Every structure is written in structure tokens, then in C-alpha cells.
Amino acid sequence: MQTFESELVRRFSSIHEFLGEEKEVNKTQPLVSVCVATYNQQDFIGQCLDGILMQKTDFPYEIIVGEDESSDDTREICKRYAVEHQDKIRLFLRDRKESHFTNPDGTTSRFNGLWNRMSCRGKYIAFCEGDDYWTDPMKLQMQVDIMENNPEVGFVHTDFETSDGKVGHSKWPTEPIVATEILLKAQCHIGSLTMMYRRDLLEKIPKMYYTQRFKMGDLPMQIEMSRECKFQYINKITAVYRVLQNSASHNSDIQKEIDFYRSARECRMFYAKQYGIELNEDDKQLYLYIMKSVYGRKDKALAKKYRREAKENKAFTLATRLFYWGTVSRLGNLLLKIAYKFA
């Protein structure tokens, strides 16, 4: 019987690297591997790769690009970059028949990102999805310096901004911390485009999320890693997260977006139970996320619908109320902006 784990490994064994394994990048042992998964991102992938290639480091690094058989010009752009930067880029051209796996329950799992990680040779792994980009040329160096000098730190991340001009303003402490409860209680967010972790952590964590089919991979991985090492946050913007209409966490179909939020909550509840950490099981945070999404669409009908639902579930908090009024009235929108300006 085919299983997720067995097929992940079996199919990976047949993958070949674009331009072979005699390139300059293959002859050097990198300290950092940067993973880039891309599909149908012809307008963005160049900026993504440029942001990685501009990094100023005193150590070698490699860029692992997994191109998932795009239907636009993404593949050709990746091939051009791979030819021009053979000292840095290792490109893998995926076959979607192989990189997509149908689970017994009918859901689809994607191997592209996991195969990227499995191809890494560096001591540390960093990430940047093909539609995001880095803005600070010292990003990798700052993160490596922290982990090289602090063996207890296994995960370093930074602040970031979004393409629509919003800034993370993360509330993460800047000293090394055990991050499990912060992640489980959703007190702070980690931008996957900013994270770097020790590659050997992948061998230490149990990967319970392989069998849970959560709609996101980063959160459960971060939670499991938080049990093995300390996390450290750099209070500096180093990257831009591009807000698009059809990402998993920001979708033109609001039901898919809500399903993503519900899955994140299920993920946190699952690990809280595993680790014996008590969480508040009410719907207040869930409806706050939903109303934020509705506010982003300025959809008054949806706002009224989810206000009713939030009230029925006793989850219509002050914060949710602010986003509701910000959606349905100009005055409410002004008050919301003022409230967040001084928050």
C-alpha cells in the first residue's frame, strides 16, 4: 500500500538536478541552504531569487529551487537563473504527476517543498517562497551569527512587511526563548519567509503533522521544533510577504481561508493535547481572524453574516467588533485605523 511517507522517499530517489551535479555550487559545502518552492510565479520569481543572490555573507550558501511544472514562464525563468548562477543555484524541475500525492481520504499532498528540504546540504536551512522576497542583504549573516554563537538557539526569525504596506511589528521577545506556548496560544506569528533553523532539527522532531493533514506545514513544524531548541527573534524587517488573492492563508474564496484558520486552530489544539498545555477552546480568536479577512475584502454582507455567527457563538469581542464596523462604515474604518495606529 502506498503511504505518504513511503512515496515521499521513493519518488525523491528518482529526481535529477538541472545541469547535473558538477556545477560550482555542488563542489562547495554550503553553510546555509535556502529553499525556494515556486509554481506559476513568473512575475515574482526573479525578484525572489535576486533578493537571495544579493546576500552578503562570509560563508558559502546554496539556493535549492523546486519548480513544480508551471504553466506560465516560471520554469524558463528559473532555468535562466540556474544557468547564470551555477555557483549558487541548484534547480529541480518537478513533474506534477510525481510531486502531488493523493492521500487515502482524497486530499492532495505536495512533495515539492519537502523535497527541497531533503536536498539541502547546509547546516542551516532558510526559506523564501517564489512570490516573496528579501530586502536586507545581511539577513542570512545576522541569523547565522546568532546560531553559531548560541548553540541553544536552533531557530531564528525576523520581522517582515507585507506588499500592501503593513508591517509585522511582532511582539516576540528578542532574547532566546522556549517558544512552545507562544506558538500554541497564537500570541505571535512567524513569517516563514524569515525563518532559519538548524537542519539536524528535522531529524529530531517526530513529524506528527505528516499524519494529521493540517492545511499548513510551517506551524506544526515550528511547534515541534520549539520542543527541541530555543527560538530567537531579530526585531528588524528583512523581507516582504506578497499578499495575493489565492494563497492558502489569503484566498479569493473566503471559505477556503476560513478552513485554513480552522485547521490552524485544530493544529494548536492537537499539539496542546500532546504536550499537556491548556488552551482556551472558545471561538473568539477564530472569528477575529475571519472578520479581519472580511475587512480586507470590504464585504458588508459577509461582515453581517459572520457578526451573527460570532454572536451566536459568544465570540463577538471588542477587536472583532472593530473590524466589523471598519467594514460596514467609513467612520468605523477611521476608528479602526486610529486604534491600530496607537496599539
Side-chain angles (χ1 to χ4, degrees):
M1 178 180 177
Q2 292 181 338
T3 65
F4 176 91
E5 293 84 356
S6 65
E7 285 301 293
L8 176 69
V9 175
R10 185 188 70 79
R11 298 182 191 188
F12 176 73
S13 64
S14 63
I15 293 174
H16 299 289
E17 189 170 332
F18 180 66
L19 299 178
E21 298 181 2
E22 297 301 319
K23 304 182 298 299
E24 285 303 309
V25 63
N26 300 84
K27 299 175 183 178
T28 304
Q29 178 60 46
L31 186 64
V32 177
S33 298
V34 183
C35 291
V36 178
T38 184
Y39 174 71
N40 281 358
Q41 294 166 335
Q42 63 179 14
D43 296 331
F44 312 125
I45 186 61
Q47 188 174 26
C48 170
L49 295 175
D50 287 339
I52 304 170
L53 290 165
M54 76 172 181
Q55 293 297 300
K56 297 178 181 179
T57 67
D58 60 13
F59 53 80
Y61 65 92
E62 65 179 2
I63 306 171
I64 310 294
V65 181
E67 199 290 315
D68 207 17
E69 200 172 8
S70 300
S71 58
D72 63 7
D73 287 335
T74 301
R75 174 161 292 202
E76 292 307 311
I77 295 171
C78 289
K79 288 166 70 174
R80 174 167 58 81
Y81 269 83
V83 169
E84 295 174 355
H85 300 280
Q86 297 187 37
D87 61 329
K88 285 286 191 293
I89 295 178
R90 297 171 59 209
L91 172 61
F92 296 88
L93 303 176
R94 311 297 191 200
D95 177 344
R96 283 175 76 79
K97 296 185 184 68
E98 292 293 303
S99 66
H100 285 55
F101 175 72
T102 302
N103 298 297
D105 62 1
T107 60
T108 299
S109 294
R110 296 170 176 82
F111 291 158
N112 188 20
L114 294 172
W115 283 342
N116 279 355
R117 295 174 197 171
M118 293 165 68
S119 299
C120 291
R121 300 178 298 143
K123 180 179 179 182
Y124 306 112
I125 298 178
F127 294 86
C128 191
E129 295 296 311
D131 52 359
D132 301 326
Y133 59 98
W134 295 349
T135 55
D136 190 329
M138 301 304 296
K139 175 189 179 295
L140 291 182
Q141 187 69 57
M142 288 190 295
Q143 292 177 299
V144 165
D145 286 346
I146 288 174
M147 286 198 279
E148 288 287 274
N149 294 315
N150 299 275
E152 77 279 10
V153 175
F155 192 112
V156 180
H157 61 107
T158 78
D159 205 350
F160 64 97
E161 61 184 340
T162 62
S163 58
D164 55 7
K166 297 177 183 177
V167 180
H169 291 309
S170 179
K171 297 179 182 179
W172 279 89
T174 54
E175 70 274 7
I177 61 167
V178 176
T180 309
E181 287 204 27
I182 287 180
L183 292 170
L184 289 178
K185 294 179 179 179
Q187 295 170 336
C188 298
H189 174 65
I190 294 177
S192 61
L193 71 164
T194 76
M195 66 184 186
M196 176 188 288
Y197 58 76
R198 298 182 187 273
R199 181 163 61 97
D200 62 8
L201 285 175
L202 290 174
E203 301 169 3
K204 296 178 181 179
I205 62 175
K207 299 185 182 67
M208 289 182 280
Y209 53 89
Y210 273 10
T211 59
Q212 296 304 309
R213 308 297 173 220
F214 299 121
K215 293 184 180 297
M216 74 295 298
D218 292 336
L219 177 60
M221 182 186 73
Q222 292 163 7
I223 293 171
E224 292 193 19
M225 287 184 173
S226 73
R227 305 283 289 182
E228 299 290 338
C229 68
K230 290 186 176 180
F231 282 33
Q232 185 154 351
Y233 165 69
I234 300 174
N235 186 16
K236 186 174 183 180
I237 294 171
T238 66
V240 173
Y241 171 78
R242 201 181 301 275
V243 179
L244 300 173
Q245 287 300 312
N246 287 303
S247 63
S249 58
H250 187 85
N251 202 288
S252 57
D253 181 346
I254 193 168
Q255 188 56 53
K256 290 183 179 179
E257 202 164 310
I258 292 171
D259 289 345
F260 182 88
Y261 296 148
R262 293 189 189 280
S263 183
R265 179 181 166 183
E266 290 171 3
C267 172
R268 292 187 175 96
M269 297 304 298
F270 169 80
Y271 281 104
K273 184 177 181 180
Q274 293 289 322
Y275 301 146
I277 296 174
E278 186 174 349
L279 295 185
N280 188 347
E281 297 186 37
D282 64 36
D283 293 320
K284 293 176 183 177
Q285 186 182 67
L286 174 64
Y287 279 98
L288 174 58
Y289 286 152
I290 291 173
M291 200 61 77
K292 282 184 177 182
S293 293
V294 171
Y295 170 75
R297 293 168 170 79
K298 299 295 189 294
D299 191 318
K300 294 182 181 180
L302 281 177
K304 292 176 181 178
K305 172 186 175 182
Y306 287 110
R307 179 190 64 171
R308 288 194 298 271
E309 284 193 18
K311 285 186 172 181
E312 290 171 0
N313 288 281
K314 298 180 180 180
F316 198 50
T317 62
L318 175 60
T320 305
R321 193 184 303 268
L322 275 173
F323 279 99
Y324 168 74
W325 284 112
T327 306
V328 300
S329 76
R330 291 183 179 179
L331 178 59
N333 188 39
L334 177 61
L335 291 174
L336 177 63
K337 290 181 177 179
I338 292 172
Y340 268 74
K341 182 178 180 181
F342 293 101

